[in-house]
């Protein structure tokens, strides 16, 4: 009995350490598997069609749930307020969805001069309510009439 009581605190410390490690591993595995459930923006492209506007195309996919929407946030030039709009998709919902949106710039109110930097990011949502947002990226709205085939301004 004397040996058991002497080793008892050590046994408790080892048991608690083991339980904490098991809980941490289970929590990590759950987070790892949950990431597989999130939708993914597989591909995107923005094409300048100056002076009419610019075309936004994207493809989103999900392993487990159907994609319900692809949206884009835009911040044009030095404006403090941005814009938010949904891309028109090829299907209402599905595991792989292609979307497209055309942002018009050929009116007085929506005119954007060439050379303007447009910051954008996408938001993809699925039927389970999972939502991801991509990191903001810049796009330079240029006039293709004054850009060489190698992408340099004339």
């Amino acid at each position: 009995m004397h040996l058991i009581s002497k080793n008892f605190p050590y046994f408790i410390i080892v048991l608690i350490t083991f339980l904490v490690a098991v809980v941490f591993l289970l929590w990590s595995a759950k987070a790892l598997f949950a990431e597989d459930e999130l939708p993914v923006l597989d591909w995107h492209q923005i094409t300048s069609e100056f002076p009419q506007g610019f075309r936004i195309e994207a493809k989103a996919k999900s392993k487990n749930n159907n994609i319900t929407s692809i949206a884009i946030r835009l911040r044009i030039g030095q404006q403090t307020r941005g814009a938010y709009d949904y891309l028109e998709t090829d299907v209402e919902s599905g595991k792989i969805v292609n979307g497209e949106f055309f942002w018009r710039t050929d009116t007085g109110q929506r005119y954007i001069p060439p050379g303007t930097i447009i910051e954008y990011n996408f938001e993809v949502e699925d039927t389970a309510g999972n939502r991801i947002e991509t990191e903001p990226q810049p796009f330079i709205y240029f006039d293709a009439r004054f850009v060489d085939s190698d992408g340099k301004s004339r």
Side-chain angles (χ1 to χ4, degrees):
M1 184 83 172
H2 187 276
L3 290 176
I4 293 174
S5 64
K6 185 177 178 183
N7 292 330
F8 189 71
Y10 176 74
F11 174 74
I12 293 294
I13 291 171
V14 170
L15 182 63
I16 290 173
T17 304
F18 176 75
L19 290 175
V20 167
V22 167
V23 168
F24 177 75
L25 287 173
L26 289 174
W27 178 75
S28 297
K30 183 178 178 186
L32 183 64
F33 290 122
E35 199 162 296
D36 267 355
E37 296 174 5
L38 295 176
V40 175
L41 184 71
D42 190 43
W43 171 89
H44 77 277
Q45 173 178 305
I46 299 182
T47 308
S48 176
E49 296 181 18
F50 186 85
Q52 288 80 24
F54 53 93
R55 186 169 310 280
I56 302 158
E57 299 170 283
K59 176 182 174 184
K61 62 183 180 179
S62 177
K63 287 184 179 179
N64 301 320
N65 304 304
N66 287 341
I67 301 292
T68 56
S69 66
I70 305 172
I72 189 163
R73 285 183 208 281
L74 301 166
R75 194 173 61 94
I76 299 167
Q78 299 295 315
Q79 294 180 358
T80 55
R81 291 179 22 181
Y84 183 88
D85 229 314
Y86 291 94
L87 279 65
E88 290 185 31
T89 55
D90 57 349
V91 293
E92 194 167 314
S93 73
K95 294 204 184 325
I96 299 175
V97 175
N98 294 298
E100 184 175 322
F101 184 75
F102 188 75
W103 184 273
R104 299 201 77 78
T105 61
D106 58 354
T107 66
Q109 290 181 331
R110 296 190 73 174
Y111 177 75
I112 300 174
T116 300
I117 297 173
I118 300 169
E119 190 174 86
Y120 68 94
N121 71 299
F122 290 93
E123 187 177 284
V124 180
E125 190 169 354
D126 67 17
T127 52
N130 297 317
R131 183 180 334 170
I132 58 115
E133 286 188 37
T134 62
E135 292 294 319
Q137 297 181 36
F139 164 71
I140 299 175
Y141 184 50
F142 63 91
D143 186 343
R145 298 175 297 178
F146 301 105
V147 176
D148 293 334
S149 60
D150 61 358
K152 295 181 181 174
S153 297
R154 289 187 235 170

